[in-house]
Amino acid sequence: MFSEINVRFCLKPGGSLNGQIRVPGDKSISHRSIMLGSLAEGVTHISGFLEGDDSLATLKAFRAMGVQIEGPDNGKVVVHGVGMLGLQSPAAALDLGNSGTSIRLMSGLLAGQSFDVEMVGDASLSKRPMRRVTDPLALMGAKIDSAEGGTPPLHLHGGSQLKGIDYTLPMASAQVKSCVLLAGLYAEGQTRVTEPAPTRDHTERMLQGFGYAIERDGATATLSGGGVLKATDIDVPADISSAAFFMVGAAIAENSNVLLEHVGINPTRTGVIDILRLMGAELEVTNERVVGGEPVADIRVASSKLKGIQIPEELVPLAIDEFPALFVAAACAEGETVLTGAEELRVKESDRIQVMADGLIKMGIKAEPTPGGVVIQGGSMRGAEVDSHGDHRIAMSFAMAALKASGSVVINDCANVNTSFPGFVSLASQAGLNISTK
Ligand code: S3P
C-alpha cells in the first residue's frame, strides 16, 4: 500500500534488548475475526486487533461489502455481523494490498456468493501463486479468473452453487486449508481437507468459537455447508511471529533479557520456540493460559550462546514465518545451520531464502541457498546496506542483526513493516535497538 515510499531503517551496531514488551496482535487471528464476525449473526467485539495494513485491508474489504465495523480504536473493533447471506456486492475491486492471507481466505469465502468480486493487490501480491486456491475452488464449482500465470487480480463470478469436496492439500498451507474450509461453509454437503503436515489451525478454532461444527480427525478437518455463525467476543493474543524478532534479538545480543507478554502459543505456531531451544537459547515459557480458545503465555528470552543445528523438517510449517529471524540467529550461532524442506519460503512476500542469503552475505556471513532451504555458517557480521525487497519480516530480521554487527546497517524498502508490525521502530528502540528511519 505504501511500498512505493522508500522508508529506510538505519541502525547503529551493538546494543542489547531489555524490558517487558507486548507486540501487536496476531495477524492470522485478526484477519479471521473480521471475516467470521462479518458473517455471524449478532455483534462481535474484538480486542487486541492488529492495526496493521494487512488486517486493515481485510477490515476495509468487508466494510466495502456492506458490513458495519466500528474501530479500530486501540485494538478494539466491533463487527455488526450480517449473517452468512448478508454481504453486498462491493462498488469497486477489493484492494488487499500486500496480504496473501486476505486474498486466499476471501477467495474461499466469496466464491459462493451471489455477486461478482474482483480482488487486487500490490506488486508483491500480484506475483504470488493463487492456483493453489483457485484449483480446489474450481473443483467445488467456483468460477474464478486470474491473470496469466495464476496470479492476482482474481475475478470471482457470483451465482455458482458450490459442492463439498474431499481435498488433500499438495503443500502444507493454512491459507489453502482455510480457503477450502471457508468455501465449504457455502457448499452443498461435506467438505473435507487433509493436510500433509500440521499448519496453523486458527480457522478451525475460530469456527468452533462461532458455534460452527467442525470435526478434526488426525490430519483431516471436516465441515458441512449451510450452518450459521453466532457472534462471539475475541481477545487477540500478541503475534508470536512479531515476538520472534525480539526472541532472536535478545538471544543474540549481550546483556539482554526481555519478557514478551501475552503471546499466542498455539501449538501450530511454536516452531520458533522449539528451534531456538534446539540452538541453545535461554528461553522460558511462563504463565500459560487459554484466552478465547487460543493458548497464550509470557515468554522470557535472555542472551544465549547459540549453536548451529539441522532444523527438523517437521518444525518447518510450525515456524514458517519466523525463518528470516531464525536465519539471523543461525548467522550468530557457532557452527552450521541447515534448513531443508522449506520451498514455501520462496513464494512468500519475497523469496525469503534468496533475499535473506543475499543480505547475510553482504554482512560477511557464508550463506548458501538450496532449492528448499539454506546452509548458514555462523560468523561475524559486518555493517552493510541490505534490501528488504518490501518484505516486512526481512526488514525486521536485519534490524535485529545490527545488534551483532560490527558496523552500521541500513535496510532499504521497509514501509511494509506496517503490514504486520505498526510501531516496530518505537517499540524496538524502547527495548534498546539503536534504530531510526530515513
Ligand atoms: C497464514 C498462513 C501462512 C503464513 C501467513 C499467514 C494464515 O501461509 O505464512 O503469514 O494466516 O493462514 P501459508 O499457509 O500459505 O504457509
Side-chain angles (χ1 to χ4, degrees), residues 108-173:
L109 262 188
L110 299 179
Q113 303 291 335
S114 58
F115 50 85
D116 282 25
V117 184
E118 173 101 0
M119 296 192 287
V120 302
D122 70 3
S124 155
L125 189 61
S126 301
K127 284 194 224 129
R128 295 183 65 189
M130 294 298 144
R131 286 206 179 110
R132 54 180 61 201
V133 291
T134 56
D135 284 351
L137 291 173
L139 291 175
M140 297 177 85
K143 292 189 186 60
I144 304 178
D145 305 325
S146 62
E148 226 176 283
T151 53
L154 296 183
H155 185 99
L156 278 57
H157 295 268
S160 313
Q161 175 54 59
L162 305 183
K163 54 183 189 310
I165 53 169
D166 187 343
Y167 193 65
T168 300
L169 299 178
M171 75 288 288
S173 167

Side-chain angles (χ1 to χ4, degrees), residues 43-220:
V43 180
T44 290
H45 294 262
I46 308 167
S47 57
F49 182 78
L50 170 66
E51 298 184 35
D53 292 340
D54 275 13
S55 37
L56 289 173
T58 293
L59 185 154
K60 285 177 195 150
F62 279 86
R63 262 191 197 142
M65 291 186 285
V67 183
Q68 199 200 327
I69 305 177
E70 296 168 52
D73 178 11
N74 237 327
K76 300 239 183 298
V77 178
V78 181
V79 185
H80 297 263
V82 295
M84 294 301 289
L85 302 174
L87 294 179
Q88 290 162 23
S89 171
L94 302 176
D95 184 355
L96 301 170
N98 195 243
S99 179
T101 308
S102 306
I103 199 165
R104 295 208 178 104
L105 270 57
M106 287 171 60
S107 296
L109 262 188
L110 299 179
Q113 303 291 335
S114 58
F115 50 85
D116 282 25
V117 184
E118 173 101 0
M119 296 192 287
V120 302
D122 70 3
S124 155
L125 189 61
S126 301
K127 284 194 224 129
R128 295 183 65 189
M130 294 298 144
R131 286 206 179 110
R132 54 180 61 201
V133 291
T134 56
D135 284 351
L137 291 173
L139 291 175
M140 297 177 85
K143 292 189 186 60
I144 304 178
D145 305 325
S146 62
E148 226 176 283
T151 53
L154 296 183
H155 185 99
L156 278 57
H157 295 268
S160 313
Q161 175 54 59
L162 305 183
K163 54 183 189 310
I165 53 169
D166 187 343
Y167 193 65
T168 300
L169 299 178
M171 75 288 288
S173 167
Q175 291 180 350
V176 180
K177 172 178 65 174
S178 301
C179 166
V180 176
L181 288 173
L182 294 173
L185 301 178
Y186 289 92
E188 251 168 38
Q190 271 195 347
T191 295
R192 286 160 62 82
V193 188
T194 302
E195 49 187 357
T199 66
R200 65 191 69 192
D201 63 358
H202 304 300
T203 301
E204 298 92 306
R205 284 177 190 250
M206 203 182 284
L207 281 168
Q208 255 159 7
F210 277 87
Y212 206 101
I214 173 160
E215 244 173 69
R216 181 89 202 189
D217 180 14
T220 304

